[in-house]
Amino acid sequence: MVVPGTQRTVAVIGQGTWGVGLSRRNRSREVEALRLGVSLGMTLIDTAEFYSAGGAEEVVGDAVADCRDQVFLVTKVWPSNAGYAETLASVKQSLRRLHTDRIDAVLLHWPTRSVPLRETFRAFADLQRAGAVGAAGVSNFGPAWLRRAKDAAPSNGDIGRLAFNQVPYSLGHRQVERAILPYAQQHGQVVMAYSPLGHGRMPAWRGYSALIEVAAARGTTPAQIALAFLTSRPGVVAIPKAVRPEHVRANAAAASIALTPGELRRLERAFPLGRAAEIPILPPYTVFFRLILWAATLQIQR
Ligand code: NAP
């Protein structure tokens, strides 16, 4: 899929890294999993400064060291760093941890009320002009925040254009299709579906039995069908996280599954849309999140 405002294309199934880099003991396994994914075509890698307090970015940096040009690297700025100077400093740190001089897309991880969006987007635009960042975007932006973002984004051609919105989207969580996906399709934004496998809790989804049946009839796994459902939507890429090699292989193979209209109807009936159009915003700058960050830092130092 072509990234709006750039000449770049991205794989419709990429790789997530939440929980990666928490412990040094797992590092070689995690690096190998990402490298296997890249070799199988999952060349979009999503990470964030927040994940494992920078540990995930370091793992990604190791994984792409000798294949950087094949990979579309996405990272995210945490809201407490959303100010102009803080965003520049945050991206500088991410570049260092990723061992690269260029991030392909940088996103604001969550909306924040503590800093005007205009400041973050001005920093993104300056980073684009300097060549340190390819595209800009947001994450966890529901319709109301998307409207604010549109007003705040610098309208200067492709510089500052918000090319991505990364949101929770899976068969078990289809609310995105109410307003966020239509907005993205109308405004030429790529929706990056996070937790596409329900963060490993697919069997808890209502409708899971229908998913099993569709998968069994095709000789695939439920996870592959769950991914193929997302990529059947125009303008959507999915970023499952997988460390087990069999999961990595299965996810990569899902990119070539084209669901039939009958299969799609069956899944849509089994997994209704859900009501809320807005993403429930967690205040990420709360004490709770600071505690998580602190705990992750301690874990990494072991
Ligand atoms: P997910 O990708 O929905 O699920 C990951 C879990 O599914 C892991 O336990 C993984 O196991 C398992 N899995 C992977 N492939 C599988 C397969 N083919 N069959 C069965 N199980 C499989 O969850 P997620 O990590 O929450 O979301 C994906 C990525 O989205 C994150 O890693 C992160 O990059 C991004 N994200 C962004 C935000 C945000 O606020 N912007 C929030 C959450 C996530 P193994 O690892 O053991 O293989």
Side-chain angles (χ1 to χ4, degrees):
M1 180 182 308
V2 177
V3 178
T6 75
Q7 310 296 318
R8 303 290 306 275
T9 56
V10 283
V12 290
I13 298 186
Q15 306 187 80
T17 60
W18 187 13
V20 163
L22 261 184
S23 159
R24 288 192 198 283
R25 265 171 304 185
N26 296 332
R27 181 171 283 218
S28 61
R29 217 173 133 239
E30 293 167 344
V31 166
E32 284 317 310
L34 288 169
R35 291 173 63 78
L36 174 63
V38 170
S39 74
L40 295 172
M42 294 193 292
T43 50
L44 184 163
I45 300 183
D46 173 69
T47 189
E49 63 169 338
F50 182 69
Y51 298 164
S52 309
E57 289 185 327
E58 287 176 2
V59 171
V60 173
D62 286 356
V64 306
D66 66 351
C67 57
R68 174 66 190 92
D69 288 343
Q70 290 174 47
V71 173
F72 190 93
L73 272 186
V74 181
T75 195
K76 302 187 279 294
V77 171
W78 195 245
S80 53
N81 286 333
Y84 177 80
E86 291 83 354
T87 296
L88 296 184
S90 153
V91 169
K92 194 172 169 194
Q93 289 304 316
S94 292
L95 287 166
R96 183 185 58 75
R97 287 188 291 261
L98 289 161
H99 316 309
T100 186
D101 58 0
R102 175 186 97 255
I103 287 165
D104 299 302
V106 67
L107 320 182
L108 176 60
H109 206 142
W110 285 89
T112 173
R113 289 195 172 85
S114 36
V115 177
L117 288 175
R118 209 169 285 281
E119 271 200 42
T120 320
F121 297 158
R122 188 163 58 87
F124 284 175
D126 285 349
L127 287 161
Q128 282 181 292
R129 283 187 200 97
V133 156
V138 292
S139 174
N140 294 302
F141 273 50
W145 279 100
L146 283 169
R147 281 191 296 276
R148 283 179 208 151
K150 188 163 180 287
D151 292 341
S155 51
N156 194 356
D158 290 332
I159 295 283
R161 179 188 179 130
L162 299 174
F164 293 97
N165 188 13
Q166 185 178 120
V167 288
Y169 182 22
S170 63
L171 265 179
H173 191 106
R174 287 184 55 211
Q175 290 93 318
V176 162
E177 291 181 28
R178 285 203 180 276
I180 295 171
L181 183 56
Y183 178 97
Q185 288 166 341
Q186 197 188 337
H187 291 86
Q189 219 170 47
V190 174
V191 163
M192 206 182 281
Y194 79 66
S195 300
L197 304 175
H199 200 58
R201 290 190 286 269
M202 275 186 312
W205 288 344
R206 273 192 195 186
Y208 187 60
S209 55
L211 180 56
I212 292 180
E213 281 167 31
V214 172
R218 271 192 171 252
T220 64
T221 68
Q224 289 178 306
I225 298 298
L227 294 175
F229 179 84
L230 297 176
T231 58
S232 73
R233 279 26 193 167
V236 175
V237 300
I239 47 166
K241 172 257 171 187
V243 172
R244 285 183 235 185
E246 63 273 24
H247 287 166
V248 176
R249 287 197 186 88
N251 296 346
S256 49
I257 298 177
L259 295 172
T260 64
E263 288 170 323
L264 288 170
R265 274 196 302 277
R266 175 93 208 276
L267 293 167
E268 281 160 4
R269 272 200 306 274
F271 294 93
L273 271 189
R275 278 205 204 104
E278 281 293 342
I279 297 175
I281 299 293
L282 297 174
Y285 28 79
T286 58
V287 172
F288 173 65
F289 276 89
R290 286 191 187 283
L291 272 176
I292 294 179
L293 198 60
W294 174 73
T297 313
L298 283 186
Q299 178 79 17
I300 288 164
Q301 285 164 356
R302 282 200 199 137

